[in-house]
């Protein structure tokens, strides 16, 4: 079946010497993997490889056989070329980190338009704004809504967050955050991209990043910490 859709690049992996396997989160069909034969064979092909940088937003025409095997592109172009991401080391690092994170947590090959539209809107916001230090934290928090483990709303007297159940509680247990960590999480849950500037100090962002990664690990089997984590910490230290 020939499909025209927008797609966000999740990962790209060189296969043998000349080919490429690209994983995309598509608007029409969810997660799909594509095989690009001879991607490195000539100058024209190598220019197109730039399309498949982490979290680029594409317009694609592809043959979807939907048999669990690799699919094939017919046409590919950038849907929304980034204007600042590729020249801003902080933004580039954020996209590298988030593409790894999404690669570990988006797994099902099924349509999820609401998640696609959220990610596309967030990525375009990143490209057009400068106050971005909390972007990755807010995105990770919001993505839990689509994956089914967004924290339950808390009452004022709930001083602890229980990680395995995703609930706030008055009584601490071994799997609870401290009161200070719980306070940070509550603050993060109230933020949106447009009201997040200067919300946290560096040490608070680092603490929240650890909390979110631990939280993902509790709720997603086999979740791996992105290899670019140390680079992200360095850039925002």
């Amino acid at each position: 079946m020939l499909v025209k859709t927008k797609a966000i690049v999740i990962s790209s992996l060189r296969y043998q010497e000349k080919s490429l396997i690209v994983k995309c989160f598509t608007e029409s069909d969810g997660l799909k993997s594509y095989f690009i034969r001879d991607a490195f064979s000539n100058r024209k092909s190598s220019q197109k490889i730039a399309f498949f940088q982490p979290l680029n937003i594409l317009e694609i025409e592809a043959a979807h056989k939907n048999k669990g095997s690799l699919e094939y592109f017919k046409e590919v172009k950038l849907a929304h070329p980034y204007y600042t991401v590729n020249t801003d080391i902080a933004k580039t690092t954020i996209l590298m980190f988030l593409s790894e994170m999404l690669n570990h947590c988006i797994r099902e090959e099924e349509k999820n338009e609401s998640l696609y539209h959220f990610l596309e809107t967030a990525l375009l916001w990143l490209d057009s704004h400068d106050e971005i230090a909390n972007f990755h934290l807010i995105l990770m928090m919001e993505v839990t809504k689509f994956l089914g483990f967004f924290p339950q709303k808390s009452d004022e007297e709930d001083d602890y967050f229980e990680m395995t159940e995703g609930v706030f509680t008055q009584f601490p247990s071994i799997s609870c955050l401290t009161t200070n960590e719980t306070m940070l999480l509550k603050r993060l849950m109230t933020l949106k991209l447009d009201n997040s500037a200067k919300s946290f100090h560096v040490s608070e962002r680092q603490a929240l990043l650890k909390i979110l990664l631990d939280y993902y690990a509790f709720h997603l089997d086999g979740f791996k910490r992105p290899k670019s984590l140390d680079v992200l910490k360095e850039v925002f230290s």
Side-chain angles (χ1 to χ4, degrees):
M1 180 174 64
L2 199 60
V3 175
K4 291 183 178 181
T5 182
K6 287 201 285 187
I8 297 171
V9 177
I10 301 298
S11 68
S12 59
L13 177 67
R14 190 164 185 160
Y15 179 74
Q16 297 182 343
E17 290 187 7
K18 296 181 179 180
S19 300
L20 196 65
I21 296 174
V22 179
K23 185 185 293 185
C24 293
F25 185 58
T26 69
E27 183 179 18
S28 63
D29 294 277
L31 200 63
K32 287 287 182 183
S33 292
Y34 301 89
F35 183 72
I36 305 172
R37 190 183 305 276
D38 297 329
F40 298 91
S41 61
N42 58 54
R43 184 178 178 182
K44 184 178 180 181
S45 295
S46 65
Q47 290 174 341
K48 290 185 177 181
I49 293 170
F51 292 164
F52 306 116
Q53 296 303 306
L55 300 189
N56 270 358
I57 304 169
L58 308 176
E59 285 185 5
I60 67 171
E61 185 174 338
H64 285 178
K65 296 181 179 179
N66 298 318
K67 294 182 178 179
S69 57
L70 295 173
E71 313 286 14
Y72 293 87
F73 292 121
K74 295 291 186 180
E75 296 289 339
V76 180
K77 64 179 180 179
L78 290 174
H80 301 288
Y82 292 133
Y83 295 101
T84 67
V85 165
N86 296 325
T87 57
D88 186 317
I89 185 63
K91 293 183 180 182
T92 302
T93 303
I94 285 175
L95 291 196
M96 183 168 55
F97 169 81
L98 290 175
S99 68
E100 284 192 77
M101 186 274 294
L102 292 170
N103 190 35
H104 292 319
C105 68
I106 299 178
R107 300 168 180 172
E108 297 182 4
E109 293 189 16
E110 59 183 30
K111 185 175 182 178
N112 191 336
E113 279 188 292
S114 57
L115 176 55
Y116 177 86
H117 291 153
F118 166 74
L119 291 174
E120 180 182 290
T121 300
L123 292 169
L124 294 177
W125 186 96
L126 176 69
D127 189 46
S128 60
H129 289 78
D130 297 322
E131 296 288 346
I132 59 162
N134 300 313
F135 177 86
H136 55 296
L137 302 175
I138 295 171
L139 187 139
M140 289 182 73
M141 189 80 267
E142 290 293 310
V143 165
T144 65
K145 293 179 180 178
F146 301 96
L147 299 181
F149 55 96
F150 186 75
Q152 173 187 304
K153 289 185 178 181
S154 69
D155 295 325
E156 288 186 11
E157 63 270 19
D158 292 336
D159 293 327
Y160 303 94
F161 180 68
E162 204 285 314
M163 295 279 274
T164 59
E165 297 297 326
V167 298
F168 292 90
T169 178
Q170 299 178 41
F171 309 104
S173 70
I174 193 170
S175 55
C176 281
L177 300 179
T178 66
T179 55
N180 186 56
E181 291 170 336
T182 300
M183 180 188 68
L184 287 176
L185 187 66
K186 286 182 178 181
R187 282 169 53 195
L188 177 61
M189 289 173 62
T190 67
L191 296 183
K192 301 297 180 185
L193 292 174
D194 286 323
N195 69 350
S196 66
K198 300 178 181 178
S199 298
F200 301 107
H201 300 301
V202 171
S203 60
E204 292 175 329
R205 284 199 298 271
Q206 301 284 25
L208 277 167
L209 182 57
K210 181 182 184 304
I211 289 167
L212 288 169
L213 289 171
D214 288 344
Y215 190 50
Y216 270 70
F218 269 117
H219 291 270
L220 296 173
D221 290 339
F223 179 78
K224 299 178 181 178
R225 295 173 186 273
K227 295 178 181 178
S228 56
L229 177 59
D230 290 339
V231 180
L232 184 75
K233 287 181 178 179
E234 183 68 25
V235 168
F236 288 104
S237 62

